[in-house]
Every structure is written in C-alpha cells, then in structure tokens.
Amino acid sequence: MDLRRVQNEEKLNLCRKYYIGGFALLPFLWCINSVWFFNEAFRKPQFDEQKQIKTYVIRSMIGTLIWIAIMITWVVIFQLNRSKWGATADYMSFIIPKGEL
Amino acid sequence: MAPVASLFSLYLVILFISYLSNNSVECVRTKKKIYLDLVTQNACFRVLNATHQVGCSSKSGGNVGVLHYLEGQDDYDWVLKDGPHTPYVVLINSEDFHREKVQQLFKSGRVNGILVVNVLNNSTLTPLPPNGFSADKDCPNDNYGAYYKNDSYKHCKSVKWNKPGEALYFNDYHDFPMFAISNISDLNILIDQCYRPFNQPGNGVAKTYPICAVELSDSMDAAKDSITCIRRSELITNLNPTKYCDAMGDKNIISTIKAIPQNVPRPAKSVIVVATRMDSISMFGYEYQNSDTTVTGIVALLAAAQALKQVKDDLRAATSDLMFTFFQGEAFDYIGSSRMVYDMELNHFPYDITDNSSLQLQNIHLNHISHFIELSQLGHRDQDQLWIHSDPISKEIPAISDEVKKLIDIIKPIGEKLNVSLGETAADQPLPPASVQRFLRKMAIPSIVITDHQKQYTNKYYNSRFDLPRNINADYPPTLNDTEKYDYITEQAVSLTNIATTLARFLYKQTTGKQLTPDLENKIQADEKEIAHLLYCFLESPVCELFKQSVSPEDNKNLASAKKPFPFYVGVDYQTNQITRLAHSILAQYLGDRMVNITKEADCKQPDNDKRYKYLWMQGSLKPGTTDTREGWCIKSTAMLHKAKSPAFDIDDYDWLSGEYSTWTESTWTVTKVRAFLIPSESQEVLTLCVGLALFIVSLGIVYFFNASSDIIFLSTNTASDTPPS
C-alpha cells in the first residue's frame, strides 16, 4: 500500500491496528509498524493524527527491541546448550545439523 | 569515435592471439584441471552403539592437508615437529598403521587425516605386520556372550582370545578421516605425481611452493550414539525427514533337514543345530578379507551339507532333525544369534504361523534344541590339530556334561580315520566368542565349538584386512589363469575336505544314531573339487561358475560387475547382502531337490497348500553347446533367510542401556572422496586476488565509459532524424 495516497485518518487507523496486533505475540507487526510509519511520525510536517502515530511508532519500536533482546538471548542459550539438552533439544529443532552432537 | 574504434580493434587482436595460442580447443572443466581424483572408496566410516560413536568422519567440507609419505623416523619428526606446512595428511605404510602410531598422529594436532598403503597383492608395498593386526578388541563381543555375569570368565579373564586386537575400529576419530589406498594407480598419483615432485623435503629443507595437498571427505551424518541418531531419524518435524543412521543387520541362513508341518508336534530335544558365522569387520569399507575368520567355517559347513546329499533320505527319516545355520552380524555383539534366540522364545522361529489353511514349518523353540555344534575359524590349526571347546558352566550339570562327552567320543574317532585330529581344551576353559553363547545365556545346551586354536587365536589377523588367502595356504601359483585357479586344489582345500567329511559323518551318526558302515562312509564324502570352487568364489573372485549358476537372474548384474570378492561386512538391515543370497542358494542346492519339470521362473513358486518349502529360481548351468544361455534351475528346499536384526530395534520401549541386545547402527553419509591438488604460495594467492580485483574495477570503468558515451557509439549517424519533432 502506498501511504502517499492514504488519508491521514486512515493512516492512524492502520498504525493503531498494527500496534494492537503486535500484542498477539506478533513482534513482526511492531517491527513493520516502526519502519513503515517512521516517516509519518517523525519526518512529515505536522498534521492532526501525527502525535498519536508517533506514540504508536515509539511503543512499537520499544516492543521490537524487547523482542529482539529476548530472541537473541534464547538463540544464544539454545545454541550453547543444544547438545547438552539431548532429546529435548532435538524435539525443539526443525533441522538438526548432520554429524554434530 | 576514434578512441572507441581503436579499443575494439585491440579487443579483436587479444581474442585472435588467445585463439592462436590455444589452437586445439578443448572442453575440460576447470575443476578437472585442478584436481586429481582418486578411485579409492575404502573409507573408515562411523558406526554407533547405545553409548558411543566410533570410526572416522571428516569435517563437513572435507579435511585438507599437505601430503607427506611417512617412510622413516625422520618423516615422523618432520610431520610431528619440524615441517612448516601444517596441517599434514600422511600416507602411512601398512606395518605402521597400529594404535600407538595412529593415536600419536591423531593427537598431535598437526595431522588432518591418514591414508594407508593397502595394495594387498604386493607384499613389498604392503608387508603384513609380523606381530599381527586386528581391528577388533582383544576380547571380542565381551559383555554380550554367556559369561557377562561370571566373575571368573568375563572380560576374557582366563583367555585373551584376540591378543593382537587393539580395538582400533572401536575408537572415535572425530574430524579425522582415514582411507585405505588399495589401487596401485592411486598410490602412483600420491607418491609420484604429488609427494615426490612437490613435497618431499631435501636435506631437512621444505620444498618451495607450489606444494601438493590432499582433501579427504567422508563426513558422517550420525553423531553421539545410536539412541540419538535413531531418535533424530524418526523425528517428523520436517517435511523432508533426514536419516542419520540405520540399524545393522542382514539375514541368517537356516535349513532344517526335515519339513515338519505345524500340525505335527516337534518332540523336545530333537533338533541338532550346526552353525557358523558369516560376517566380519575391518577398518576400511570394501576391504573385508576374511579367509580364516569366517570363510573356512562357511566352506566347511556348506561342504558338509553337500556331503550329506546322498544320505538325505536317511536323515529325513531320523527322529532328530538337523538344522544348518549361518549367523549374520555376529561381529557386532551377536546380532543374528541373539535374534534367533529372541524369536525362538516368542515362538516366532523360523516364522510366525498365522494361517492354518496351508502347511507351514513347525516352530522351533529353545527347548527343542538337543545339541549345538559350532564351527569357528578352521584355517590355522594349532599344533596341526582342531580343538573342541565346550562350556564349563553348563557342564556342571551332569546330564549336559555326559552329552558333551558323548559328542566328543563320537567325533574324535571319525576324525582320526580321516587324519583330522581333534583335541579337547582344558575343562575349566570358557568358550571362545561364539554364537552358541547367546543360546547358553538362556539355557544349558550340550554344545561344542570346533576351532583351530587351543587358547588364544592362531589367526594373527582376525577381523582385519590382512586375513588373506595366502595366510591359510589357499592362494594359487602365479602362473595359473582364472579357469585353472577355479579348479586348483589348494592345501587348505584338502584339509577342509577332511574336516567337512568328519563333520558330515559325525552329523549323520548323531542325527540317525546309526553306525557308519564302509558303504555309508563312501557315500558321505565331501567333494574336494567343490571345496576348491567354494574357496575360489568366496576368496578370489565371485565371477565363477558356481556363483554364476547359483545366482538369481535379478542379481546377475551385480555378480557380472563384481571386481573383487563380495564383502562379508554385515551392513545395514534393509539390504540383504549378496554373499548371503549366494550362500543361501548354494545351501538350497545341497540340501534341497531340483524340480526338473519346472523350466520357467514363473512356475517356480510355492504351492498354496504347502508353504514348508521355498522355491528358488537360479540361473543353472550352461545349456549344452552354448556359452551364454543358462538352463535355469528351480530348487525346492527348506533353506530360508531369517531376519538378523537386533531385537533392540523391534522391541517397544527397549531399555537401550540394558546391554541385553546389540545396538549397533551405521551412520549414513553422502560422499567418500579423496583428491589431490596443488596449492600456490600465499604471495601468489594474494597476487591472483589483487589482479582479479583490478580486472573487476577496470571492467566496471569500461562499462561505465561505454554507457556514458553510448550516444556517440551507437547512435552517431541518425541522431537528428530519429529525434521526434518537439
């Protein structure tokens, strides 16, 4: 969707939907939200809905960062312990490397 | 305009020169120009049990190292201490390939893989280690035999059977590939085209670049242990499930003399089992020389079956039944025999009788076994004698001890008459590793094991690639051609004939209870010529008349393309070994009957109402007057294949760590490959990279220039007329 052709009201609506949707354990919505509406929130000349959009974008960014931190922590923990966890780790895995413990 | 035209002409000149300088245009892939591929496929590969991974594996992309041929101590010092071009891949002589040296190289951190010279028909290139070599343990199949709980006999406390056994096979060489070089042309590539011209240091000074490196690839898929790799193979989290390992196994071959149907009860203690084993191990794939370890036993047992051919009606009428048995997978903690015992206990042996509408073979239970006679190695006779081993624990029961004594009293005089002297081992000496131990674990059975050794193995090369025909006098004078070799009666063939005759007469007497009259003795006589044929086909070349007539038409292609004897390694469970199918077919010919009326493969099948006999279709002998058409034989016999897969893989919730059944699996892999190539010096590598980068930047510049001045180059003439009016 090309944001240039969308009414400001509709923009706010979309941004809110993405923001709320992110709470359903969908961090990618927050990530997209923060990139997609970044220009609207911070770089466009002022308009009525901008303040609200800005709030959603900032919160989405924070959410994204928290998720990234969680993900990285988990990946590090999993990779370090995969062989130690044995069967449990195998059941969590989608692809198991060949020839490795 | 002018500079562009001159640039074009310059290009043309360059093209023309490069064409002239290379006037024969060849299409050789760059890869082929860089690498010399070796034909060897004889890799040490990974196998696993419930607790360990053993064998070798390279890194996933292969291990690369500078080739060094270890000819003397100086070379060891060079590779382990002084040499500047680490890591090395070493080419090692057969005598040096033993545990101490291999461990030293493996642990040094300066060596990336081992190649072993293994040109077995050339004793100068490949001398046999004088003190013996065995890839197996010094106490083979320890913990899985009859003495696993017995404090005085377990762990071979009283006799170390396999003294040279260093258990090299049972060591884990992770990221450390090893290959055997069995092909003389491979060896020439490595030594004459790679090592000598590019790498061999002169007077302690390393050669300058380019130097020759070797890449060894045999990356294994499985890891850790059988439990892990089977769990991973069974996981279905992925649309494309991956296999990491396969259970080892094959088929036992069995044949009873009588065909008792399921509605006739089999009397207790009425089956005499006579058995030997089929398989062996060795460090390297496809290098399963097996002369003494198993072939002597297999040939003796087959020949005994053939010797009984003339009296089989007597045997069929006897009260006792006789079962010929060839166990598979015994080298890996008794796979075949443990499976048979397991099936017997469940009344599934030889198969589960489900359908009563047709006649089927009556089950055999452990209680039905009256005696057990096993043949082991027979080639290297200790003090020119064979030795009868028996189990000291079951002999504590007087009835068993009496029966064992009776067996020995029957076989000894028969042997003496044929110049086969049979000695008895000490009364308190336990059995050597043997399939019967799996039966003795469950119940006391009068049993004897006939071998060539009194105490430790007389075979210095048990379960190894050096167990060669020439060590048991079964090799041929070099002047003979293939047909002559096939009929040539070696010294070993003569002794095996006497052993087989002894065994056959003994089995006859034991089964029928009749005395051996001179007439009977004439009838029960192993055929020297047939034994020579069997030895030739098993040890020298499978492309022989006996195998050609015994092979099924489907397997004929495998046989025709065979270049060396079929391997005796048990392999993975889902495939039946070629050697098993051939031995089955030969046993069926010896014990069964040829259906002369059946001349078409389609007619050679079981009737619906009688499933006791198997009907095997084989190529048969050549039609008279032809050289390539065979008449086709249909053989009806009780010989059949019985699954030799460890029960561990078939029992639900089996406790893998219980140590009851074999847990061996073989890892899967994608490729085994060795190739040699030259590596340039670091400065040349940097130069190549820089020239490449420079060329790239120049070409970018040229393209930019062309693009920017495209108006002038391509549209210079008609620019005005093509421009639309404004």
Side-chain angles (χ1 to χ4, degrees):
Chain A
M1 191 187 283
D2 190 349
L3 282 184
R4 282 175 297 187
R5 297 185 198 161
V6 179
Q7 294 293 317
N8 286 343
E9 217 171 296
E10 187 58 22
K11 282 181 197 165
L12 176 61
N13 195 15
L14 255 177
C15 188
R16 185 192 293 119
K17 276 185 188 159
Y18 270 66
Y19 170 66
I20 293 169
F23 283 105
L25 302 178
L26 297 169
F28 274 104
L29 287 187
W30 283 343
C31 178
I32 289 165
N33 208 17
S34 32
V35 175
W36 201 17
F37 287 97
F38 186 84
N39 281 345
E40 305 295 325
F42 298 107
R43 296 174 68 182
K44 282 275 167 71
Q46 259 193 341
F47 53 96
D48 286 349
E49 291 84 357
Q50 195 180 34
K51 210 177 160 199
Q52 278 242 271
I53 290 183
K54 201 186 270 181
T55 323
Y56 292 140
V57 169
I58 289 174
R59 288 183 187 175
S60 292
M61 281 173 168
I62 294 168
T64 312
L65 287 177
I66 291 172
W67 268 101
I68 288 174
I70 293 173
M71 293 277 195
I72 289 176
T73 318
W74 169 245
V75 169
V76 169
I77 291 174
F78 183 75
Q79 292 300 336
L80 290 178
N81 292 292
R82 195 180 57 82
S83 60
K84 225 181 293 164
W85 290 348
T88 325
D90 282 355
Y91 293 127
M92 287 178 188
S93 303
F94 191 68
I95 292 169
I96 301 165
K98 290 179 168 181
E100 304 278 333
L101 287 184
Chain B
M1 190 56 214
V4 175
S6 60
L7 205 65
F8 265 131
S9 46
L10 186 67
Y11 266 143
L12 280 176
V13 170
I14 291 171
L15 265 177
F16 185 65
I17 291 170
S18 62
Y19 172 76
L20 275 186
S21 64
N22 202 359
N23 46 10
S24 63
V25 182
E26 281 176 80
C27 302
V28 183
R29 301 183 68 174
T30 320
K31 196 174 96 180
K32 285 219 162 161
K33 291 186 183 170
I34 297 173
Y35 295 109
L36 282 174
D37 288 320
L38 269 53
V39 294
T40 182
Q41 288 290 313
N42 310 344
C44 157
F45 52 86
R46 180 176 288 167
V47 296
L48 310 96
N49 67 9
T51 49
H52 291 83
Q53 63 174 34
V54 303
C56 321
S57 171
S58 72
K59 291 174 197 143
S60 63
N63 285 29
V64 176
V66 171
L67 183 70
H68 199 97
Y69 183 21
L70 299 178
E71 294 174 282
Q73 191 52 45
D74 289 355
D75 294 304
Y76 280 92
D77 293 342
W78 181 264
V79 162
L80 296 171
K81 289 203 290 266
D82 309 329
H85 303 309
T86 53
Y88 286 97
V89 160
V90 296
L91 180 65
I92 189 172
N93 283 319
S94 54
E95 278 177 307
D96 290 347
F97 187 74
H98 56 77
R99 194 183 184 94
E100 192 200 325
K101 285 256 160 69
V102 172
Q103 286 298 102
Q104 195 184 9
L105 294 166
F106 177 56
K107 294 208 167 129
S108 70
R110 289 169 59 92
V111 178
N112 227 353
I114 296 183
L115 299 166
V116 189
V117 181
N118 193 50
V119 188
L120 291 169
N121 55 12
N122 184 331
S123 47
T124 2
L125 275 175
T126 309
L128 305 190
N131 298 323
F133 176 85
S134 170
D136 208 336
K137 290 175 257 195
D138 56 3
C139 187
N141 287 359
D142 190 22
N143 288 333
Y144 287 82
Y147 306 117
Y148 68 118
K149 277 195 216 149
N150 186 300
D151 287 330
S152 38
Y153 298 138
K154 70 179 176 191
H155 309 324
C156 296
K157 271 186 188 159
S158 56
V159 191
K160 280 261 179 284
W161 299 106
N162 187 25
K163 277 258 169 70
E166 293 187 311
L168 211 51
Y169 187 88
F170 297 96
N171 232 33
D172 180 25
Y173 293 105
H174 184 57
D175 288 348
F176 195 74
M178 300 186 209
F179 281 78
I181 303 296
S182 311
N183 191 308
I184 193 92
S185 68
D186 277 358
L187 196 63
N188 288 340
I189 290 179
L190 290 172
I191 296 178
D192 299 334
Q193 293 188 46
C194 180
Y195 175 66
R196 298 241 189 272
F198 295 105
N199 296 0
Q200 189 173 25
N203 301 325
V205 182
K207 279 228 166 79
T208 51
Y209 285 99
I211 48 175
C212 183
V214 177
E215 183 191 80
L216 315 180
S217 318
D218 70 331
S219 165
M220 296 290 141
D221 297 342
K224 200 174 174 200
D225 50 38
S226 291
I227 305 173
T228 306
C229 75
I230 286 176
R231 178 181 68 230
R232 290 178 177 180
S233 302
E234 283 173 354
L235 275 185
I236 317 173
T237 51
N238 192 326
L239 291 178
N240 183 18
T242 320
K243 238 189 189 186
Y244 294 83
C245 65
D246 295 290
M248 284 193 188
D250 196 56
K251 306 287 187 299
N252 298 322
I253 309 165
I254 54 160
S255 183
T256 54
I257 293 287
K258 292 154 82 86
I260 300 177
Q262 78 268 42
N263 47 18
V264 177
R266 202 181 267 284
K269 309 276 172 215
S270 68
V271 181
I272 300 164
V273 179
V274 54
T276 191
R277 68 174 239 217
M278 289 289 291
D279 72 305
S280 76
I281 56 171
S282 135
M283 278 305 285
F284 301 100
Y286 305 104
E287 287 297 333
Y288 301 99
Q289 310 297 328
N290 227 348
S291 308
D292 188 40
T293 310
T294 65
V295 169
T296 49
I298 299 170
V299 170
L301 190 52
L302 283 173
Q306 199 210 14
L308 292 169
K309 198 169 183 167
Q310 282 200 51
V311 293
K312 63 187 168 197
D313 291 333
D314 281 8
L315 291 169
R316 283 172 187 166
T319 37
S320 284
D321 198 356
L322 180 60
M323 182 167 84
F324 285 84
T325 312
F326 297 80
F327 291 111
Q328 265 285 11
E330 299 299 277
F332 291 98
D333 299 338
Y334 302 117
I335 296 175
S337 48
S338 65
R339 179 63 189 223
M340 190 175 288
V341 171
Y342 172 78
D343 283 348
M344 281 182 170
E345 285 185 308
L346 290 176
N347 271 327
H348 282 174
F349 184 79
Y351 45 76
D352 202 9
I353 300 171
T354 47
D355 161 31
N356 266 323
S357 61
S358 61
L359 290 179
Q360 301 195 32
L361 212 55
Q362 177 63 288
N363 280 336
I364 300 175
H365 196 269
L366 277 179
N367 295 324
H368 293 133
I369 300 174
S370 67
H371 302 87
F372 202 112
I373 292 105
E374 180 162 345
L375 301 182
S376 197
Q377 315 169 60
L378 300 171
H380 291 280
R381 284 168 283 276
D382 203 353
Q383 303 153 38
D384 248 352
Q385 271 191 314
L386 287 182
W387 295 90
I388 301 175
H389 300 251
S390 52
D391 171 39
I393 296 177
S394 54
K395 277 196 298 188
E396 283 166 11
I397 305 166
I400 303 275
S401 144
D402 289 349
E403 281 299 319
V404 171
K405 196 170 174 308
K406 270 191 223 163
L407 289 176
I408 296 171
D409 288 344
I410 295 174
I411 197 169
K412 262 190 167 174
I414 297 175
E416 262 157 41
K417 242 181 159 174
L418 289 157
N419 226 351
V420 177
S421 83
L422 290 138
E424 270 175 82
T425 57
D428 61 345
Q429 183 178 304
L431 285 177
S435 310
V436 68
Q437 292 203 18
R438 290 303 302 197
F439 292 78
L440 293 170
R441 250 168 104 116
K442 295 291 173 184
M443 67 182 292
I445 299 170
S447 48
I448 55 173
V449 177
I450 301 171
T451 73
D452 58 6
H453 55 93
Q454 185 185 10
K455 289 193 173 127
Q456 69 176 74
Y457 291 161
T458 40
N459 180 3
K460 286 191 288 185
Y461 306 111
Y462 175 79
N463 269 352
S464 83
R465 63 194 194 285
F466 300 127
D467 189 6
L468 296 168
R470 66 171 186 258
N471 298 334
I472 57 161
N473 298 323
D475 54 340
Y476 302 96
T479 50
L480 301 188
N481 65 25
D482 285 348
T483 354
E484 288 164 341
K485 280 183 187 168
Y486 180 62
D487 286 326
Y488 184 82
I489 291 159
T490 56
E491 237 173 89
Q492 188 59 242
V494 177
S495 359
L496 283 177
T497 310
N498 292 333
I499 295 170
T501 310
T502 307
L503 181 70
R505 289 181 187 170
F506 161 71
L507 291 173
Y508 179 85
K509 194 167 175 187
Q510 181 65 29
T511 312
T512 59
K514 290 183 193 164
Q515 287 304 315
L516 292 162
T517 59
D519 175 49
L520 274 171
E521 284 183 351
N522 275 338
K523 280 187 186 164
I524 310 175
Q525 175 64 48
D527 181 359
E528 206 169 57
K529 205 128 234 177
E530 190 75 357
I531 289 179
H533 295 168
L534 286 165
L535 285 173
Y536 177 86
C537 298
F538 280 124
L539 295 175
E540 181 74 14
S541 163
V543 192
C544 62
E545 182 55 28
L546 178 63
F547 277 11
K548 279 185 200 160
Q549 64 188 16
S550 309
V551 78
S552 66
E554 306 88 77
D555 288 340
N556 190 31
K557 221 197 273 166
N558 289 340
L559 181 64
S561 61
K563 297 226 165 44
K564 54 201 263 185
F566 285 125
F568 286 89
Y569 167 64
V570 59
V572 294
D573 159 68
Y574 63 83
Q575 278 172 334
T576 304
N577 287 346
Q578 198 65 61
I579 203 76
T580 310
R581 285 205 286 262
L582 282 162
H584 172 213
S585 163
I586 292 169
L587 184 68
Q589 290 171 54
Y590 292 164
L591 294 178
D593 302 296
R594 188 177 151 204
M595 309 305 283
V596 189
N597 300 335
I598 299 176
T599 53
K600 282 207 299 285
E601 188 174 2
D603 299 335
C604 186
K605 57 177 187 230
Q606 282 176 329
D608 287 336
N609 59 358
D610 191 350
K611 305 252 189 244
R612 289 176 299 165
Y613 300 97
K614 299 274 177 252
Y615 289 68
L616 273 182
W617 181 256
M618 52 195 83
Q619 293 209 115
S621 54
L622 285 170
K623 278 187 180 159
T626 62
T627 51
D628 56 349
T629 38
R630 292 184 173 268
E631 50 190 3
W633 291 345
C634 182
I635 306 284
K636 170 193 168 187
S637 76
T638 56
M640 69 177 103
L641 298 177
H642 167 254
K643 181 152 109 174
K645 182 187 189 187
S646 170
F649 299 100
D650 287 349
I651 300 172
D652 293 334
D653 317 319
Y654 174 71
D655 175 10
W656 289 89
L657 301 175
S658 65
E660 177 70 16
Y661 294 114
S662 164
T663 52
W664 287 103
T665 54
E666 180 191 298
S667 170
T668 56
W669 65 83
T670 325
V671 71
T672 52
K673 191 171 63 183
V674 180
R675 56 188 188 178
F677 57 97
L678 289 179
I679 45 175
S681 66
E682 213 164 290
S683 57
Q684 194 184 337
E685 281 177 338
V686 171
L687 186 71
T688 313
L689 182 70
C690 291
V691 169
L693 281 174
L695 209 66
F696 173 63
I697 290 164
V698 168
S699 70
L700 278 185
I702 291 174
V703 170
Y704 178 78
F705 166 75
F706 271 72
N707 198 30
S709 46
S710 58
D711 287 357
I712 315 164
I713 303 171
F714 300 111
L715 293 169
S716 53
T717 47
N718 300 335
T719 325
S721 60
D722 282 356
T723 319
S726 51

